[in-house]
Amino acid sequence: MSDFEHNVFINCPFDDGYMQLLRPLVFTVLHLGFTPRLALERADSGESRIDKIVELIQQSRYGIHDLSRCTASKKGEYSRLNMPLELGVDYACKLFKSGRSRTKRILILESERHRYKAALSDLSGSDITAHGNNPETLIVGVRNWMVQEASAPPTAAQQIYSDFLDFTAYNPKQLLKRGWKQEHIETMNIIELGKHMKDWIAKRQEQRDILGDLF
């Protein structure tokens, strides 16, 4: 599988409030054998952020766009438009570029199924997956879409969720043993955390393969 076929561009907020969803989202993509691509993976201050995002979108056959945090959080505050913008770039790439870009697949996430219509009525008729701000529901939705659209292995959603909970319990304990401070573990960059997830998933699969051979 080429990098393009393997890459999943994730468009979502990166603030602390969204971490409860971003962690299981990244974990699910990794668990299914794909590579999550996020704007945070490069931290070159001399690089234009929008140029970086366009490059990542062009490199990824699959795009997951969460629009659940686009509304303003308080009166007088602007709505958050980065996520709709990046969705538009991904859709335009699929529609107007030739070659492999025509095979791109897009998943739109929201907290509630029809909430997006108030701001993006042009998406009416599009298939939207609602997660209800619930990590397990998000895992189910992303898993089902990737099995259907990306021919991902049909691992049970409950298995992915169970593994995510196991990893969430295991990883901090191991890092504490290695001298990490609890506050640094809790604020670890999602890119670094993703590397820990990938290693843990590989080891867990090795254990399952060994048990499978024994029985």
Side-chain angles (χ1 to χ4, degrees):
M1 186 182 290
S2 69
D3 287 343
F4 175 76
E5 296 284 341
H6 200 247
N7 288 341
V8 181
F9 174 70
I10 296 177
N11 167 25
C12 67
F14 298 123
D15 55 67
D16 292 342
Y18 190 78
M19 282 298 115
Q20 66 164 345
L21 296 177
L22 181 55
R23 291 181 183 121
L25 174 52
V26 169
F27 187 88
T28 301
V29 171
L30 288 167
H31 202 291
L32 293 172
F34 288 75
T35 303
R37 304 298 304 274
L38 300 97
L40 292 178
E41 67 186 54
R42 299 207 302 260
D44 180 5
S45 298
E47 182 179 29
S48 166
R49 185 179 180 88
I50 188 62
D51 289 344
K52 174 172 57 177
I53 288 169
V54 170
E55 181 181 337
L56 291 174
I57 288 173
Q58 291 177 325
Q59 293 174 351
S60 306
R61 182 178 183 190
Y62 305 100
I64 298 177
H65 303 263
D66 194 332
L67 305 183
S68 64
R69 298 296 194 275
C70 293
T71 56
S73 59
K74 57 185 177 182
K75 185 177 181 180
E77 185 178 73
Y78 285 109
S79 298
R80 303 170 71 173
L81 300 179
N82 286 340
M83 280 71 74
L85 172 63
E86 292 173 31
L87 169 60
V89 172
D90 202 1
Y91 183 74
C93 185
K94 170 184 172 67
L95 191 62
F96 296 118
K97 285 182 66 67
S98 59
R100 67 184 188 180
S101 293
R102 292 297 179 94
T103 69
K104 288 172 69 65
R105 295 292 182 268
I106 293 172
L107 172 64
I108 301 174
L109 299 174
E110 246 290 11
S111 56
E112 302 171 23
R113 188 170 300 278
H114 301 292
R115 196 175 73 107
Y116 70 94
K117 291 181 181 178
L120 289 169
S121 58
D122 285 347
L123 288 179
S124 295
S126 300
D127 289 328
I128 305 291
T129 296
H131 52 60
N133 296 314
N134 182 286
E136 183 175 6
T137 304
L138 180 143
I139 286 174
V140 172
V142 171
R143 176 266 179 205
N144 290 347
W145 178 77
M146 292 194 67
V147 169
Q148 178 177 332
E149 298 296 334
S151 298
T155 307
Q158 184 56 39
Q159 182 66 71
I160 300 173
Y161 182 60
S162 177
D163 282 352
F164 173 70
L165 294 179
D166 288 347
F167 168 79
T168 301
Y170 170 88
N171 194 56
K173 293 178 182 177
Q174 294 303 308
L175 293 178
L176 286 171
K177 290 179 181 178
R178 290 161 50 186
W180 280 64
K181 290 185 177 180
Q182 183 66 38
E183 61 199 82
H184 295 160
I185 295 173
E186 294 172 356
T187 59
M188 181 184 292
N189 182 286
I190 189 62
I191 303 303
E192 185 174 0
L193 182 62
K195 294 176 182 177
H196 289 281
M197 289 177 176
K198 186 175 182 179
D199 291 342
W200 185 92
I201 291 168
K203 291 177 182 177
R204 175 57 63 91
Q205 188 56 51
E206 287 177 7
Q207 294 170 355
R208 289 196 173 114
D209 290 341
I210 292 172
L211 289 174
D213 291 339
L214 291 176
F215 296 98

